Amino acid sequence: MVEKSIDYLARNIESTFLGMKLMFGDNMTLTEKIVVSMTLFSGFLLTVLYYPKGTLLGFIVGLFLVTTFVHGIPFSYRELRIRRIQKAYRHNVVFLDDEIRDMTSIKPNTAELDTHIPRHLATNEESYVNYREALNVLKERLTPYIGGGVRSEISVKEDLERFRSVINTASFKMNDVFSCTDYQVNPNTETWLNEHVPEVIRSATSKLDFLKETLDVLMKERMAIKSGVEGEESVREYLKDFEDMLLPLYGTRFQAEKGTVENDALLFTETGIYSLEIKNIGASGDKTIRITKDGLWYEKFKSSDWKRSERDAIFDQVNRHTALTETLIREKFGRESKYMVKSLIVIPNKNLKIENESSFHIIRPSQIVSLIREMDVVLTHDECVAVSDFVKSKDIGQARYEHLDALAYVKKIVETYESLQRDCEFLKRTFIIQETYVERVTQNNLHELLRLKYLNCDNARSVI
């Protein structure tokens, strides 16, 4: 009696551990695990019910029922799921010929990309406006695809990773179907896939690489112009409340014997005439600059050592602008010292630390007015107006340089992005063809194929 009881419990324990092993593996879905849990519990109740009788019949009935519940129900449920999936795939295969015909009519454009970088002549301010308009177009056109996350070129570039995933999957699907000797694709389908899908994959890859490069170019050139123009705008904004006293002229350009001269700003005040050279140094990072007594520039970041900088040329530029502007004014109003032009180097970036040992005035915008007021009065208001009007009459307009035509460039970026979107939608639609139009799937052995897959047999290679 004792031996029978031990044997009986041992078999139940073995059956229980088998069911638990299935539960904790990757072979079962959550629903199946719930079913197994319920059957294990039912088996335990049956064991409790029949064991006390201590009869051979109780042993046989208990063992049979526990085995049936623990193993029969979950696997019966699995067979039912396999048959449902089989039916769904049969349904898909029926419409694949129509799917192929539809896709043939919507095959994306795989023409060569226009990689020309559009450029135009514009002033720095005009180019800055062009970049702002371009960024607005980028946000407006791509928001439907990306959502509210379009803030700059960076957010668009980050979004491109989803396209890379689709392209990689499409490439894998092609290799998975055509390199697997166990499965034979329908010949007509194989011809169509081989003819069109690789071509679209190559086109999509080319567009993806093009977008990454163009977004990098757009961001780099936009930041270069953005730093300078925004620095000048910040100075203008600060001086707006003092324009009656300072009589400012911005971006004035005139012809001199040694070429043209363009001042970022000229201030005509009763304490003299000032030429402002605005340099938004270090606008993109936390930096320290040091200018020695002999005019050498050094710079460093927090974790770096001092390095020589090539910004010494700023002093040459300042001296040239000051001298030629002063020459122009003195030729008209005389060589009195009151018409001498003083230079100020203004750095708007508040994150930049400045250690200045030179004789040049290197200041923040907020220091301009206080510095000017410390000087002695040398001109009358009428003289300031007269000199200002004279310089204004010599203005030939701001210089135009070759800039990236950001608006045209962004339109090209958007068109390529939308074309890439269509490419990837096309590739996604080929997934179902590549996964379902396999001869094994369309024949009677689908049941066996799915059973192998759902039992996670390592020797089965499924393309589903």
Side-chain angles (χ1 to χ4, degrees):
M1 181 64 180
V2 175
E3 292 179 359
K4 290 183 179 180
S5 298
I6 293 174
D7 183 62
Y8 177 72
L9 291 174
R11 290 177 180 274
N12 276 275
I13 291 172
E14 180 184 1
S15 179
T16 300
F17 274 112
L18 179 59
M20 293 177 67
K21 181 179 178 182
L22 286 172
M23 284 184 61
F24 291 106
D26 295 328
N27 301 309
M28 288 190 176
T29 64
L30 177 61
T31 304
E32 291 172 334
K33 289 178 179 180
I34 293 173
V35 173
V36 171
S37 299
M38 293 175 63
T39 53
L40 286 174
F41 182 70
S42 299
F44 172 75
L45 291 180
L46 288 170
T47 301
V48 173
L49 178 63
Y50 283 98
Y51 173 69
K53 294 184 178 181
T55 62
L56 178 62
L57 178 62
F59 167 76
I60 295 174
V61 172
L63 181 61
F64 174 77
L65 290 176
V66 170
T67 304
T68 301
F69 273 100
V70 173
H71 299 284
I73 293 181
F75 283 95
S76 296
Y77 176 75
R78 177 165 298 181
E79 292 296 319
L80 177 62
R81 292 183 67 242
I82 289 174
R83 293 181 184 278
R84 288 177 179 173
I85 294 173
Q86 177 187 12
K87 182 178 179 181
Y89 273 84
R90 297 282 188 204
H91 177 78
N92 286 335
V93 168
V94 172
F95 297 100
L96 281 178
D97 288 337
D98 293 335
E99 180 81 9
I100 292 175
R101 283 194 292 271
D102 291 343
M103 292 188 66
T104 302
S105 64
I106 64 166
K107 190 176 80 68
N109 178 20
T110 55
E112 291 295 323
L113 291 169
D114 176 15
T115 57
H116 170 71
I117 300 178
R119 296 192 175 275
H120 64 163
L121 292 176
T123 66
N124 289 339
E125 286 77 8
E126 289 170 344
S127 181
Y128 180 69
V129 172
N130 184 262
Y131 278 108
R132 287 197 301 189
E133 292 176 353
L135 194 56
N136 288 335
V137 170
L138 194 69
K139 292 178 180 178
E140 179 183 350
R141 294 282 296 274
L142 297 190
T143 294
Y145 302 102
I146 303 177
V150 182
R151 300 177 303 279
S152 66
E153 303 92 332
I154 296 176
S155 55
V156 178
K157 190 174 179 180
E158 290 173 348
D159 175 70
L160 297 180
E161 290 305 312
R162 65 186 179 92
F163 293 122
R164 175 68 69 187
S165 176
V166 173
I167 294 170
N168 290 341
T169 303
S171 301
F172 170 77
K173 292 291 184 184
M174 291 293 294
N175 295 332
D176 192 45
V177 172
F178 298 137
S179 64
C180 183
T181 57
D182 292 339
Y183 308 122
Q184 297 298 318
V185 180
N186 178 285
N188 293 332
T189 306
E190 181 175 352
T191 300
W192 186 88
L193 290 172
N194 273 321
E195 180 180 353
H196 297 294
V197 175
E199 180 186 2
V200 177
I201 290 175
R202 286 192 297 270
S203 173
T205 302
S206 175
K207 292 170 186 175
L208 184 62
D209 294 339
F210 172 77
L211 284 172
K212 288 183 176 180
E213 292 175 7
T214 52
L215 289 167
D216 283 340
V217 170
L218 179 64
M219 181 174 64
K220 182 178 179 181
E221 299 212 17
R222 182 175 68 85
M223 291 303 295
I225 196 71
K226 177 177 181 288
S227 174
V229 173
E230 289 188 352
E232 293 176 11
E233 284 188 348
S234 67
V235 173
R236 292 188 188 190
E237 186 66 26
Y238 175 76
L239 295 177
K240 188 179 294 183
D241 295 334
F242 306 95
E243 289 185 349
D244 291 341
M245 181 188 76
L246 300 177
L247 296 180
L249 289 179
Y250 298 104
T252 304
R253 180 167 164 261
F254 61 87
Q255 186 68 45
E257 290 184 2
K258 299 180 180 180
T260 59
V261 178
E262 185 171 354
N263 292 282
D264 292 336
L266 284 172
L267 304 180
F268 302 91
T269 77
E270 293 182 2
T271 62
I273 303 165
Y274 300 87
S275 172
L276 273 58
E277 193 68 35
I278 303 170
K279 298 294 182 182
N280 202 15
I281 301 172
S284 59
D286 192 355
K287 183 187 293 186
T288 301
I289 60 170
R290 183 175 69 194
I291 304 95
T292 61
K293 290 181 179 180
D294 56 353
L296 298 181
W297 288 62
Y298 295 84
E299 60 183 38
K300 73 169 185 175
F301 290 96
K302 282 185 177 180
S303 58
S304 65
D305 297 327
W306 288 104
K307 293 182 180 179
R308 273 285 284 123
S309 171
E310 297 181 356
R311 298 187 187 276
D312 305 352
I314 293 177
F315 289 154
D316 296 332
Q317 184 182 23
V318 168
N319 289 333
R320 178 179 181 275
H321 288 179
T322 302
L324 294 178
T325 303
E326 187 175 299
T327 299
L328 176 72
I329 295 172
R330 284 184 167 180
E331 285 177 353
K332 173 68 174 177
F333 295 95
R335 302 192 60 81
E336 297 179 62
S337 61
K338 64 182 180 180
Y339 294 115
M340 182 178 66
V341 178
K342 307 177 184 71
S343 61
L344 300 177
I345 299 174
V346 183
I347 301 180
N349 177 25
K350 296 179 181 179
N351 294 324
L352 182 72
K353 297 180 179 64
I354 305 171
E355 299 177 7
N356 180 28
E357 300 172 0
S358 71
S359 58
F360 284 85
H361 291 294
I362 302 177
I363 60 177
R364 311 281 189 191
S366 58
Q367 297 174 289
I368 296 173
V369 175
S370 61
L371 180 63
I372 290 174
R373 283 176 171 171
E374 290 176 358
M375 304 296 180
D376 296 331
V377 174
V378 294
L379 294 172
T380 66
H381 181 72
D382 290 341
E383 287 174 328
C384 292
V385 173
V387 177
S388 174
D389 289 344
F390 169 72
V391 174
K392 190 185 300 182
S393 70
K394 295 294 183 178
D395 186 14
I396 59 176
Q398 294 185 29
R400 281 179 162 76
Y401 306 97
E402 187 179 82
H403 290 282
L404 174 70
D405 188 347
L407 191 56
Y409 206 40
V410 161
K411 289 179 180 178
K412 183 182 296 188
I413 289 173
V414 170
E415 290 173 359
T416 306
Y417 182 98
E418 292 175 338
S419 179
L420 177 59
Q421 178 80 18
R422 290 191 292 271
D423 286 354
C424 288
E425 289 300 325
F426 174 86
L427 293 175
K428 287 179 182 179
R429 291 185 65 180
T430 66
F431 293 171
I432 189 172
I433 295 176
Q434 296 175 64
E435 289 182 343
T436 60
Y437 218 126
V438 177
E439 191 168 310
R440 271 205 169 192
V441 176
T442 61
Q443 301 301 322
N444 293 330
N445 55 11
L446 172 65
H447 184 75
E448 176 188 354
L449 180 65
L450 291 173
R451 182 184 291 105
L452 289 173
K453 177 186 177 181
Y454 276 86
L455 289 175
N456 288 341
C457 290
D458 294 334
N459 61 346
R461 173 149 183 182
S462 174
V463 294
I464 297 176

